[in-house]
Amino acid sequence: MDKLLEPINQFLQCETPSSWIEAAKDPKNLPVILIDHLICELKAAQSAMFLIRKYAVDKESGDALLEWLKPFETLIYKREGNWRDLADKNKLTKSMIPKSNTPYGQDLIDKMVILIKEELHHFYQVLEIMDEYGIEYQSITPCRYAKGMLRNVKTYEPDALVDKLIVGAYIEARSCERFAKLAPHVDKRLGDFYVSLLRSEARHYQDYLKLAQEISECDITERVTFFGEVEAELIASPDEDFKFHSGAPTHP
Ligand SMILES: [Fe+2]
Ligand SMILES: [Fe+2]
């Protein structure tokens, strides 16, 4: 586990504040942590889908991607359908065809399709845990975290895509760090689940980062450092909101 976390901890410019861990291990905050985690898994799948629809695949493949995510989105946004029916829906049956003239290759498509599959599986696993703990889904507001990074994304290509991939890498890396930190403080069932997520989230972080460097025309080190500073500020500064990716809680 330490081997897995070493590059993540180097990549992130600050550690999760201990005040966040204190709040997150408080049983009264378990519902918000799990519900927000659930939404994060869906958002991770959605943003990966958005990237390949916008940049990489043809129209028909894009439609198949929309169809694929629909039952998951319907469950959350319309509160329709039985969550148990989603168990076998994390597979994509159509093969993805690249857009003609796209400069972004098969590698982006392949990595993102695997990532979406895994995020949808995690989504289902969080639903299972919520069911076991008797926690009901309810809609919650998103925290400032992702928006706080995305507002710095460039408006022209390919820099916009590169920036979005770097932001993706930070979200994955931070999630991984928090799951690892939280695991020893929660009950065994949940702790084991968090540990089981580390491997895929660590790979997602690396995939995003590799894609960013592949697609960029220049060295991305400076841009990575820039987003690292923005990210660290969002994590370390006081935050009135308490969510999975929130900052240092002001009222624990
Ligand atoms: Fe995930
Ligand atoms: Fe992930």
Side-chain angles (χ1 to χ4, degrees):
M1 187 160 129
D2 286 349
K3 267 251 149 347
L4 207 80
L5 289 168
E6 215 180 83
I8 300 243
N9 292 333
Q10 262 175 29
F11 178 67
L12 296 171
Q13 293 187 23
C14 76
E15 238 181 282
T16 283
S18 52
S19 57
W20 185 90
I21 304 288
E22 286 308 311
K25 66 190 202 196
D26 185 339
K28 83 169 191 300
N29 285 327
L30 185 64
V32 70
I33 281 286
L34 284 177
I35 293 169
D36 198 40
H37 179 182
L38 179 74
I39 303 297
C40 288
E41 299 291 0
L42 181 62
K43 291 228 170 102
Q46 286 174 316
S47 46
M49 174 186 75
F50 171 85
L51 286 182
I52 48 177
R53 285 188 69 230
K54 179 170 167 67
Y55 292 100
V57 298
D58 73 357
K59 166 88 174 62
E60 257 174 64
S61 306
D63 291 346
L65 288 168
L66 280 183
E67 277 306 303
W68 185 23
L69 265 71
K70 211 185 234 162
F72 296 87
E73 293 170 329
T74 304
L75 185 83
I76 294 299
Y77 302 125
K78 299 198 178 146
R79 312 270 197 107
E80 282 168 19
N82 183 340
W83 68 270
R84 288 183 199 276
D85 296 339
L86 299 175
D88 55 357
K89 293 219 161 53
N90 71 327
K91 300 174 201 86
L92 177 66
T93 42
K94 188 189 176 308
S95 58
M96 292 287 106
I97 318 261
K99 272 186 203 192
S100 47
N101 310 321
T102 175
Y104 312 115
Q106 197 66 40
D107 198 29
L108 178 67
I109 299 176
D110 294 345
K111 285 194 166 93
M112 290 297 107
V113 168
I114 294 173
L115 184 140
I116 296 170
K117 251 180 223 172
E118 291 177 342
E119 306 298 16
L120 293 179
H121 179 60
H122 299 160
F123 177 88
Y124 184 81
Q125 289 179 301
V126 181
L127 284 171
E128 265 180 338
I129 292 211
M130 285 172 59
D131 183 63
E132 284 171 39
Y133 290 159
I135 293 169
E136 286 226 19
Y137 174 74
Q138 44 181 286
S139 60
I140 53 171
T141 52
C143 75
R144 67 187 187 182
Y145 181 70
K147 231 195 258 162
M149 283 190 282
L150 289 170
R151 74 162 68 96
N152 295 287
V153 165
K154 296 260 170 68
T155 51
Y156 50 88
E157 301 297 348
D159 300 44
L161 172 57
V162 171
D163 282 358
K164 286 178 213 164
L165 292 166
I166 296 172
V167 169
Y170 274 105
I171 299 174
E172 296 285 350
R174 180 62 66 188
S175 308
C176 197
E177 187 242 12
R178 289 206 159 167
F179 289 136
K181 275 231 161 71
L182 212 45
H185 301 292
V186 294
D187 77 44
K188 189 170 178 325
R189 166 74 170 101
L190 188 58
D192 287 349
F193 174 52
Y194 286 162
V195 169
S196 79
L197 293 175
L198 297 183
R199 199 165 296 279
S200 53
E201 307 304 8
R203 180 164 32 77
H204 295 166
Y205 132 74
Q206 278 170 342
D207 284 348
Y208 272 122
L209 205 58
K210 269 186 241 156
L211 285 167
Q213 187 55 78
E214 263 170 48
I215 288 165
S216 175
E217 284 148 357
C218 51
D219 183 73
I220 61 168
T221 312
E222 245 175 71
R223 208 59 194 148
V224 169
T225 306
F226 166 75
F227 277 106
E229 283 162 10
V230 173
E231 200 269 350
E233 172 68 22
L234 290 162
I235 287 298
S237 63
D239 194 346
E240 282 186 16
D241 199 6
F242 178 74
K243 295 283 159 51
F244 189 78
H245 288 110
S246 57
T250 47
H251 353 255

